Amino acid sequence: MDFNYLSSRTNKLVNATLHGIEAHKLLSPAQRIHFNKFNIPNTAKQAGVLVLVYPNQNNKACILLTKRAMYKGKHSQEISFPGGKRNKEDLNLKNTAIRETFEEVGLPIKTINIQKELTSVYIPTSDFNVNAYLATTSYLPVFSLSHEVETVISLDVEDLLNPKSLTSFIPKTSYIKQVAVPCFKIGNHYIWGATAMILNEVKEVLKKL
């Protein structure tokens, strides 16, 4: 998808209907319980992530993903969106997503244009309720990675929209044992879990442009 085409349809993007839990279910592991605002634990920690769309060197619309660095945690080396836990200083979760994106990949805050809040996803493994924000920036960023990020992945929107990108695989984690989960396979990357669930809602929104 040409980035200029996407930019010319920003109003349609902003007003697009969200597919919520129905979009999430399609990329959800079979053993997962589906949560909505009525059954998310009151103790859940709050996080904000950014789904950033930007032009690559060929002006193709791409989505920013990060591969986490290796650390002693449940989501080490997994593919995710830039973002993280809300700080006391953050005015809201939108500010959390923007701040964390700057801290993790060096994207200047003033260049980020939030277009739409997406449906939140609860992650029972780490007890986080994640609010995702669809955003755009009009130029190809120069990324400066923090110690939390091993690398960035530029996901071409056309690859996301390609039905052949949907498949399944068996992840190697401490919390899922020998169970196939649905995923997007883009190049050599398997994108699954909450990241894939959020991406599937983004996919449904972008299909309507």
Side-chain angles (χ1 to χ4, degrees):
M1 180 183 290
D2 184 79
F3 184 80
N4 291 340
Y5 174 88
L6 184 147
S7 295
S8 69
R9 286 156 174 78
T10 299
N11 287 339
K12 197 168 184 180
L13 188 70
V14 170
N15 296 314
T17 300
L18 293 178
H19 293 258
I21 196 169
E22 294 306 314
H24 293 169
K25 280 182 179 179
L26 294 175
L27 269 294
S28 174
Q31 67 272 31
R32 175 187 166 91
I33 298 172
H34 291 286
F35 296 86
N36 58 39
K37 63 182 179 180
F38 300 108
N39 62 4
I40 295 172
N42 293 330
T43 57
K45 296 166 286 188
Q46 299 298 311
V49 301
L50 202 70
V51 184
L52 183 72
V53 185
Y54 61 94
N56 67 8
Q57 62 272 24
N58 297 316
N59 209 48
K60 293 288 188 179
C62 294
I63 296 173
L64 174 64
L65 296 170
T66 63
K67 183 177 180 181
R68 297 175 187 269
M70 186 174 292
Y71 68 101
K72 293 181 180 179
K74 293 179 179 178
H75 301 294
S76 173
Q77 295 277 280
E78 291 182 2
I79 295 174
S80 63
F81 297 105
K85 185 178 180 181
R86 180 176 183 175
N87 286 348
K88 293 180 180 179
E89 296 79 13
D90 295 333
L91 295 176
N92 50 47
L93 287 167
K94 182 193 300 185
N95 289 113
T96 300
I98 293 171
R99 173 185 56 76
E100 285 279 344
T101 299
F102 170 70
E103 292 177 2
E104 291 182 7
V105 299
L107 191 68
I109 291 173
K110 64 181 180 180
T111 67
I112 298 171
N113 302 304
I114 300 290
Q115 303 293 349
K116 191 174 189 66
E117 182 176 357
L118 301 168
T119 306
S120 65
V121 175
Y122 176 65
I123 306 175
T125 305
S126 50
D127 192 32
F128 268 103
N129 191 45
V130 179
N131 281 54
Y133 298 88
L134 183 58
T136 57
T137 189
S138 59
Y139 72 102
L140 175 60
V142 176
F143 299 113
S144 177
L145 307 186
S146 77
H147 68 279
E148 299 177 61
V149 178
E150 180 175 297
T151 189
V152 296
I153 299 166
S154 186
L155 170 59
D156 192 318
V157 166
E158 290 181 3
D159 289 334
L160 176 65
L161 297 179
N162 186 346
K164 293 182 179 180
S165 67
L166 288 171
T167 185
S168 63
F169 87 123
I170 300 175
K172 296 178 181 179
T173 74
S174 61
Y175 54 94
I176 293 181
K177 302 290 187 181
Q178 296 299 308
V179 177
V181 300
C183 68
F184 291 104
K185 185 177 186 296
I186 310 293
N188 295 321
H189 301 293
Y190 291 92
I191 306 165
W192 63 285
T195 303
M197 293 165 67
I198 293 169
L199 269 179
N200 202 49
E201 184 170 55
V202 173
K203 176 180 178 178
E204 293 302 318
V205 169
L206 295 177
K207 281 166 59 175
K208 301 299 189 297
L209 297 184

